[in-house]
Amino acid sequence: RGKRAFIAGVADDNGYGWAIAKSLAASGAEILVGTWVPALNIFETSLRRGKFDESRLLPDGSLMEITKVYPLDAVFDNPEDVPEDVKANKRYAGSSKWTVQEVAESVKQDYGSIDILVHSLANGPEVTKPLLETSRKGYLAAISASSYSYVSLLRHFIPLMNPGGSSISLTYIASERIIPGYGGGMSSAKAALESDTRVLAFEAGRKNRIRVNTISAGPLRSRAAKAIGFIDTMIEYSLANAPLQKELSADEVGNVAAFLASPLASAVTGTVMYVDNGLNVMGVGV
Ligand code: NAD
């Protein structure tokens, strides 16, 4: 039987989640995705109307099939966590079972098990503010959506992950080096995500032989990155300064995710793997 992957954080064809889904599909995996509730409608409509058909094209000429799209809001673990205003929100009221625990239950009911879990989501409401101007609320929201969401996903999906499975998240070098403009506690959230990758690799490895790795990706013009406001500057900086002077394509990150999810990486766990044209090794700009 082929592998089955659940990829959280796909809502269009521009981000890393989409590219990872494609690489996993190309390597024969069945694809399930979790889409943020407010983005669900437009994503499903666009999929249905063929808006993504060109970008669904796989190397063998076939089109990636997404077996099922699950509504997901990874800042809520179970229905008791959901505040009244969110429950009443029209976009949320139109879907059901989108907390992490309920999505894991639905996937278990529908398919029984998965082999690959991907976390490709982040949100920092105050990302455009420097850390010194970030509120407690904004900081905790960044950590909740971008770091704890991963702990929660892994925690709820581990019971349905086959032994030997693999889990991958996406991080950014702002966790360890100063990237002015990546604010709102997002740098802190990525630092937590990377530290958690090590601890979770130990715990999930011992418990279920699950591998846990994170990809530190270079800059990509995704929807989320455009919201930060400095993505073009980051892409130019990388082009000018990285050892490999080419624009990074999302597929290059997708391919490394497929490698990390495969038996080729059977001894790789707890690592931060850079897929950034080598920019992270530079000490000064040139
Ligand atoms: P993206 O917009 O494609 O992906 C982010 C996704 O997160 C979106 O689909 C959004 O709907 C979803 N999301 C936000 N809050 C959510 C929630 N509460 N519950 C469920 N889903 C939620 O953008 P991307 O840049 O591809 O981001 C994917 C990952 O890659 C993120 O972790 C991001 O930090 C990381 N990353 C991006 C870059 C870059 O330059 N784009 C660089 C390094 C790392």
Side-chain angles (χ1 to χ4, degrees):
R1 171 184 90 63
K3 288 184 178 170
R4 186 177 296 118
F6 181 85
I7 301 147
V10 180
D12 59 40
D13 59 349
N14 293 318
Y16 282 133
W18 177 271
I20 292 170
K22 274 180 73 176
S23 291
L24 291 173
S27 65
E30 178 178 19
I31 305 300
L32 313 174
V33 306
T35 301
W36 197 29
V37 186
L40 180 73
N41 229 328
I42 178 147
F43 179 62
E44 285 197 304
T45 308
S46 306
L47 256 183
R48 207 171 338 108
R49 296 200 179 144
K51 206 189 143 211
F52 301 135
D53 282 0
E54 234 170 87
S55 28
R56 282 171 60 210
L57 189 65
L58 299 176
D60 71 354
S62 68
L63 296 188
M64 167 172 70
E65 287 300 333
I66 297 178
T67 306
K68 187 160 178 182
V69 179
Y70 293 84
L72 167 71
D73 194 321
V75 304
F76 303 115
D77 300 317
N78 52 55
E80 295 85 76
D81 285 351
V82 184
E84 288 306 322
D85 60 316
V86 175
K87 268 185 204 152
N89 183 304
K90 232 175 59 191
R91 288 187 294 185
Y92 281 83
S95 312
S96 59
K97 297 193 179 166
W98 37 257
T99 67
V100 176
Q101 186 190 317
E102 292 169 294
V103 174
E105 282 167 3
S106 300
V107 173
K108 189 177 166 108
Q109 245 172 34
D110 294 345
Y111 300 100
S113 68
I114 64 165
D115 304 284
I116 301 162
L117 175 69
V118 178
H119 175 281
S120 182
L121 63 97
N123 196 17
E126 297 181 18
V127 66
T128 56
K129 287 190 190 165
L131 188 54
L132 262 181
E133 285 160 34
T134 297
S135 72
R136 182 182 302 267
K137 199 171 163 217
Y139 183 98
L140 294 176
I143 295 270
S144 173
S146 314
S147 315
Y148 188 76
S149 58
Y150 184 53
V151 177
S152 177
L153 266 176
L154 195 54
R155 172 177 175 182
H156 289 97
F157 274 85
I158 273 189
L160 47 147
M161 284 183 82
N162 294 316
S166 171
S167 174
I168 296 156
S169 67
L170 274 299
T171 187
Y172 186 48
I173 195 164
S175 59
E176 45 176 325
R177 301 274 186 270
I178 301 158
I179 311 280
Y182 197 75
M186 278 307 299
S187 57
S188 331
K190 291 306 191 188
L193 183 67
E194 290 173 24
S195 179
D196 294 346
T197 297
R198 294 181 279 271
V199 178
L200 295 169
F202 173 71
E203 294 180 4
R206 289 296 173 93
K207 211 171 158 176
N208 288 44
R209 288 198 293 118
I210 308 290
R211 295 182 294 105
V212 181
N213 293 289
T214 188
I215 294 175
S216 186
L220 173 77
R221 219 175 267 103
S222 64
R223 188 190 170 98
K226 280 191 267 186
I228 304 172
F230 71 162
I231 188 67
D232 291 315
T233 313
M234 290 298 115
I235 290 172
E236 278 162 37
Y237 182 88
S238 181
L239 266 174
N241 295 292
L244 301 176
Q245 291 190 287
K246 60 179 177 60
E247 194 156 324
L248 180 69
S249 90
D251 293 347
E252 293 175 294
V253 169
N255 290 340
V256 173
F259 156 70
L260 285 173
S262 80
L264 293 173
S266 56
V268 181
T269 193
T271 63
V272 178
M273 184 160 291
Y274 297 90
V275 184
D276 64 348
N277 285 321
L279 185 63
N280 71 93
V281 301
M282 296 300 294
V284 291
V286 287

